[in-house]
Amino acid sequence: MENDKRVETARKIAEKHANSGRMVMFENVGKFIRWFSTIIDKIFYSPRYAPVFALLIALLAYFVTNYDSSSATITSSKVLSNVSINTRYNSGTFELSGVPQACEIVLTGEAGNVTNAASKKGYCQVDLEGYTEGTHTVKLTAQGYGDSVSAIISPSEVTVTLKKKTTMQFDLSYDYINQNSMDSRYILSEPDFSSSGKINIRASQDTLNSIAMVKALIDVSGATEDFTISAPLVAYDKNGRVVDAELVPSSVEATVHVSSPSKEVPIRLNPVGTIPVGLAIDSITIVNHQTATIYGSEAVLSGISEIYANYDLSTVTEGVDKEIMLPVTLPAGVSSSTVTVVNVKVTLAIVENRELADIPLNVHDNFNNLAVSEIDATTATVIVSGSNTNINAISETDVEVYFTMPEEPGTYTVPLYVTCDSNPYISLSTNPVNVTITVIASNQ
């Protein structure tokens, strides 16, 4: 009995100590919670740490939401510039305007899918099937990139105009292209066309009204003989800009005749300018070429009997027997010549003068059939200047002195003119320089 009391007393003492230990533990846990709560409050409400803590919470929420335990994917985007735009419409009936030449596409999706789609030959499309004449706003769609990526198009829509086509007939003209690759000796004829010379153009009335000409572009690269070629046709406005229209036919067969007319003509020297005072040309001789073969159209060649090398007298300096090189001047319409420069030997001399007395006066340009009733001189002295050899080769019969008849009766002082065709290396003057005349009607 006594033992039972001891056991009961020991049990009560043990329970008392256990309850005391639990109380201490609960007190310690409470202290830790209050301490941790204080730290959290400081972080949440501190201006310094609150943004950092908010960012960490946002990142955690993102990864929890987007993380796929089976596979992690990477999203990518790629911008495609200058993507071509295809159109679908009834081109046989309508003319389309307002479609830009290109657009921009942004592809988005998994990185591998985006790379694969960007390598494809995709395009933007404007679908106008079933649309009628007028102005329409149409969305663009991306084609050819597959369904594994999304596509954003810029511009996303376009405003276009459909105009009904009509047909008008135009005269056909032509242009030779690449003529600079031809030898200049060859001449091209007017082309002969396989068509009637009339071209049908199908377009809207506004476009047809803007067309000023239709030309066949005939390529004559390296042409040396007759040829036939299929020449593309192009319509132009009045400013020479290409007009986009449907030409029927789009090309025409042209036959071109190629020829090389030529003519052999002498080369002459043509003194120009004024020789320095005190000097005279005794002779100028072409050393290497006396004639040349020139090329051009037959109409041009028929009017040419000689060609010239111009010699500028103002460049003459003292010295004798000088040899110089002069370019040959080709007349207008002459395409080429076998001789382009000549070597010329120039002999100079001291200028001398000689007088030819009593040269009678002649009258030129008497268009109104007037008569001279009075004149203060009927002859003149001609002063010939040049080298000794040249002035002594001139006789009285080689020169002519004249004046020009006034147009109405009256008294006039008129200048005298003198000419000499036998030698270009002399200069001529007269004494007197002028004469006074009285002019009357020829029936008086």
Side-chain angles (χ1 to χ4, degrees):
M1 198 62 173
E2 187 175 349
N3 288 335
D4 291 340
K5 289 181 179 180
R6 291 193 186 105
V7 171
E8 181 64 24
T9 300
R11 185 181 63 80
K12 290 180 179 180
I13 292 171
E15 288 179 354
K16 182 177 181 181
H17 283 291
N19 289 336
S20 176
R22 282 196 292 270
M23 290 297 293
V24 171
M25 182 183 69
F26 286 145
E27 288 179 2
N28 290 337
V29 170
K31 289 180 181 180
F32 174 78
I33 291 174
R34 287 193 296 274
W35 172 82
F36 184 76
S37 175
T38 302
I39 296 299
I40 294 300
D41 288 342
K42 289 182 178 180
I43 293 175
F44 270 122
Y45 298 104
S46 170
R48 181 176 181 181
Y49 296 108
V52 176
F53 193 73
L55 176 61
L56 292 174
I57 293 176
L59 290 174
L60 179 61
Y62 174 81
F63 284 113
V64 169
T65 303
N66 292 280
Y67 180 73
D68 184 352
S69 60
S70 61
S71 62
T73 60
I74 300 176
T75 301
S76 175
S77 296
K78 186 174 182 63
V79 178
L80 305 180
S81 301
N82 295 318
V83 179
S84 61
I85 299 178
N86 290 358
T87 56
R88 293 182 61 191
Y89 70 104
N90 188 348
S91 59
T93 302
F94 297 108
E95 177 185 280
L96 175 63
S97 62
V99 179
Q101 292 183 346
C103 64
E104 183 179 275
I105 294 180
V106 180
L107 300 177
T108 303
E110 293 184 13
N113 293 337
V114 169
T115 300
N116 181 53
S119 66
K120 296 180 180 180
K121 293 183 179 180
Y123 57 92
C124 291
Q125 181 168 280
V126 176
D127 192 350
L128 294 166
E129 290 287 348
Y131 282 69
T132 59
E133 186 174 16
T135 300
H136 311 278
T137 299
V138 186
K139 290 187 176 298
L140 277 73
T141 59
Q143 304 291 329
Y145 297 106
D147 298 328
S148 61
V149 295
S150 63
I152 299 175
I153 306 173
S154 178
S156 60
E157 59 184 23
V158 292
T159 299
V160 300
T161 301
L162 289 172
K163 294 181 181 179
K164 200 163 187 178
K165 286 184 177 180
T166 185
T167 301
M168 184 179 293
Q169 200 169 69
F170 291 82
D171 292 327
L172 176 62
S173 58
Y174 70 94
D175 266 343
Y176 287 134
I177 60 175
N178 296 323
Q179 277 189 275
N180 57 346
S181 68
M182 283 183 59
D183 190 310
S184 59
R185 293 178 298 170
Y186 293 99
I187 303 298
L188 301 171
S189 70
E190 294 278 333
D192 295 323
F193 294 115
S194 59
S195 68
S196 63
K198 299 288 186 179
I199 300 298
N200 291 324
I201 298 183
R202 187 165 173 77
S204 70
Q205 192 60 53
D206 290 341
T207 297
L208 293 174
N209 292 340
S210 71
I211 296 174
M213 67 194 80
V214 178
K215 291 189 174 185
L217 303 183
I218 303 173
D219 189 350
V220 296
S221 302
T224 59
E225 58 185 16
D226 297 355
F227 66 95
T228 299
I229 191 172
S230 179
L233 302 180
V234 181
Y236 297 93
D237 65 14
K238 64 180 180 179
N239 296 316
R241 293 187 294 259
V242 175
V243 178
D244 185 13
E246 179 186 353
L247 282 73
V248 182
S250 60
S251 62
V252 66
E253 192 174 85
T255 299
V256 181
H257 299 287
V258 183
S259 60
S260 183
S262 62
K263 183 178 184 179
E264 186 175 24
V265 293
I267 302 174
R268 307 295 187 197
L269 290 170
N270 179 38
V272 295
T274 303
I275 194 168
V277 175
L279 294 178
I281 294 176
D282 190 51
S283 65
I284 302 179
T285 305
I286 298 178
V287 176
N288 54 345
H289 300 286
Q290 303 303 316
T291 63
T293 300
I294 57 176
Y295 297 85
S297 68
E298 293 182 356
V300 169
L301 296 180
S302 64
I304 299 173
S305 58
E306 54 192 7
I307 57 177
Y308 295 92
N310 294 329
Y311 180 45
D312 187 357
L313 298 178
S314 65
T315 63
V316 170
T317 57
E318 292 186 13
V320 295
D321 296 339
K322 296 192 303 182
E323 192 168 310
I324 60 175
M325 186 182 301
L326 298 178
V328 175
T329 302
L330 298 181
V334 174
S335 59
S336 66
S337 169
T338 55
V339 178
T340 57
V341 293
V342 291
N343 292 336
V344 175
K345 184 178 181 181
V346 181
T347 302
L348 303 178
I350 301 300
V351 65
E352 297 182 19
N353 296 322
R354 179 186 172 207
E355 293 186 356
L356 302 176
D358 300 325
I359 305 299
L361 306 185
N362 293 326
V363 178
H364 284 195
D365 301 334
N366 188 6
F367 299 118
N368 295 330
N369 196 27
L370 303 178
V372 176
S373 62
E374 295 183 17
I375 186 169
D376 61 359
T378 57
T379 64
T381 297
V382 174
I383 299 95
V384 184
S385 300
S387 71
N388 182 271
T389 302
N390 287 331
I391 64 175
N392 286 318
I394 303 299
S395 67
E396 286 79 358
T397 57
D398 294 324
V399 298
E400 180 191 16
V401 179
Y402 66 93
F403 61 86
T404 300
M405 180 68 79
E407 295 183 355
E408 297 179 355
T411 299
Y412 303 90
T413 297
V414 294
L416 296 180
Y417 303 97
V418 58
T419 62
C420 177
D421 296 330
S422 62
N423 194 315
Y425 308 127
I426 59 172
S427 60
L428 305 169
S429 60
T430 64
N431 184 23
V433 176
N434 304 307
V435 292
T436 302
I437 59 174
T438 300
V439 179
I440 61 173
S442 60
N443 57 358
Q444 291 181 357

